[in-house]
Amino acid sequence: MIQAIITAGIIGACLGSFLNVAAHRSIQGRSWYGRERSACESCGHVLGALELIPILSWLIQRGKCRHCGAKISVRYIVVEILCAVLAMTIVYRWGLTWAALIAGIGTCGLVLNSLTDFESGDVFDAFAIAPGIVCLILRLAGGLWAFADGLAGAFAGWGIFAVIIFLSRGGMGWGDAVFMAGIGAVMGLKFTLFAFYAGIMTGGFWVILMMVIGHLHWGRGEAVPLVPFLSIGCFITMIYGPEIFAYLSRRMLSPEIFSLSWPFLATN
Ligand SMILES: [Zn+2]
């Protein structure tokens, strides 16, 4: 088990490095697949193998380009460490199961969309829809009901935002709706509904905190990216969903509502 968790950490750090570049280049309208090599943004020095090791390269070079000495954004190491921790958390919680695989693919989508929303306010439809479609197909391994649950999650995630957009007359973008549809297909109906609730609560708490310390001001129309908060809600649900639902079913009258759906079944 410990080997699996360490391996997950290494894969997570590498994926984080890749997702970071994919998000950043997409915003700039550059392609992130194909031949374009990673290079220093200041001097154009093409990075060698030793400069591409996640986390370690940044630490060894102390956040500077080896060639020209320009600063390399702290964002690189932060995202790489974050993704290592997320991957280790998934494998620690779910072991090597369908739930871990599906949560892992979903989390790649969460990280990508959070990065683009955070950097530029854009949500790329493809980054939301691709993990959703992949996980919908994987859901067939759990049977037709598991597949249908994914579809229901997608429609619910999209529907919530469609209603909000309708009621607020365009006060919110369709990017959030597409994002929630994609991750809804990954998580299924119940997890999607709870994740939305958890994400909105986290975002609301953050906004209030920022107003209290004076970083945000009421009525100035300052945009707060929503996807990172929804992502926090989604990740917490994919990890602690069974415990949360077990708790809710003890507190509420109808335990069936909180029973679990494939692949997030284990309560260990
Ligand atoms: Zn350089």
Side-chain angles (χ1 to χ4, degrees):
M1 188 60 185
I2 189 74
Q3 290 98 323
I5 294 173
I6 292 169
T7 308
I10 294 168
I11 294 172
C14 295
L15 272 173
S17 176
F18 169 72
L19 296 175
N20 206 357
V21 171
H24 188 57
R25 286 192 185 175
S26 297
I27 288 168
Q28 296 176 330
R30 292 151 65 199
S31 83
W32 45 269
Y33 43 84
R35 293 260 175 90
E36 194 179 339
R37 299 277 305 275
S38 293
C40 168
E41 296 212 343
S42 294
C43 69
H45 163 65
V46 174
L47 303 183
L50 284 175
E51 291 161 294
L52 287 169
I53 306 167
I55 302 174
L56 289 182
S57 296
W58 196 98
L59 286 176
I60 292 166
Q61 295 166 217
R62 297 203 190 123
K64 285 181 189 139
C65 170
R66 240 171 28 155
H67 212 66
C68 69
K71 276 198 165 178
I72 305 168
S73 167
V74 72
R75 168 179 155 169
Y76 287 88
I77 189 168
V78 168
V79 173
E80 286 159 7
I81 290 175
L82 173 73
C83 287
V85 170
L86 295 178
M88 287 160 78
T89 307
I90 290 170
V91 172
Y92 173 75
R93 174 62 183 84
W94 289 111
L96 301 175
T97 59
W98 284 107
L101 178 64
I102 286 176
I105 293 168
T107 303
C108 287
L110 298 180
V111 171
L112 262 179
N113 291 301
S114 296
L115 285 173
T116 59
D117 196 19
F118 187 75
E119 185 174 343
S120 73
D122 291 325
V123 179
F124 291 82
D125 290 354
F127 289 162
I129 292 170
I133 289 176
V134 171
C135 288
L136 258 187
I137 294 166
L138 292 179
R139 277 180 165 275
L140 287 170
L144 276 181
W145 277 113
F147 179 81
D149 187 33
L151 276 183
F155 279 109
W158 187 85
I160 292 169
F161 279 99
V163 170
I164 295 173
I165 290 166
F166 178 74
L167 291 179
S168 68
R169 294 187 188 146
M172 195 173 276
W174 284 102
D176 297 310
V178 175
F179 167 77
M180 212 57 204
I183 195 66
V186 174
M187 295 196 300
L189 179 61
K190 291 173 191 172
F191 272 30
T192 301
L193 296 178
F194 186 83
F196 172 78
Y197 168 78
I200 294 293
M201 295 305 275
T202 312
F205 180 76
W206 174 260
V207 166
I208 291 168
L209 186 70
M210 287 299 110
M211 282 180 171
V212 168
I213 64 174
H215 274 284
L216 271 177
H217 307 89
W218 189 260
R220 282 203 206 159
E222 292 159 306
V224 176
L226 187 57
V227 168
F229 297 107
L230 292 171
S231 295
I232 292 171
C234 291
F235 191 77
I236 289 172
T237 311
M238 285 194 286
I239 297 301
Y240 291 114
E243 287 81 359
I244 293 165
F245 282 21
Y247 175 80
L248 292 176
S249 69
R250 278 200 299 275
R251 298 273 145 184
M252 305 208 183
L253 289 173
S254 162
E256 290 90 51
I257 295 174
F258 299 106
S259 66
L260 295 166
S261 315
W262 194 90
F264 301 104
L265 297 169
T267 46
N268 56 312

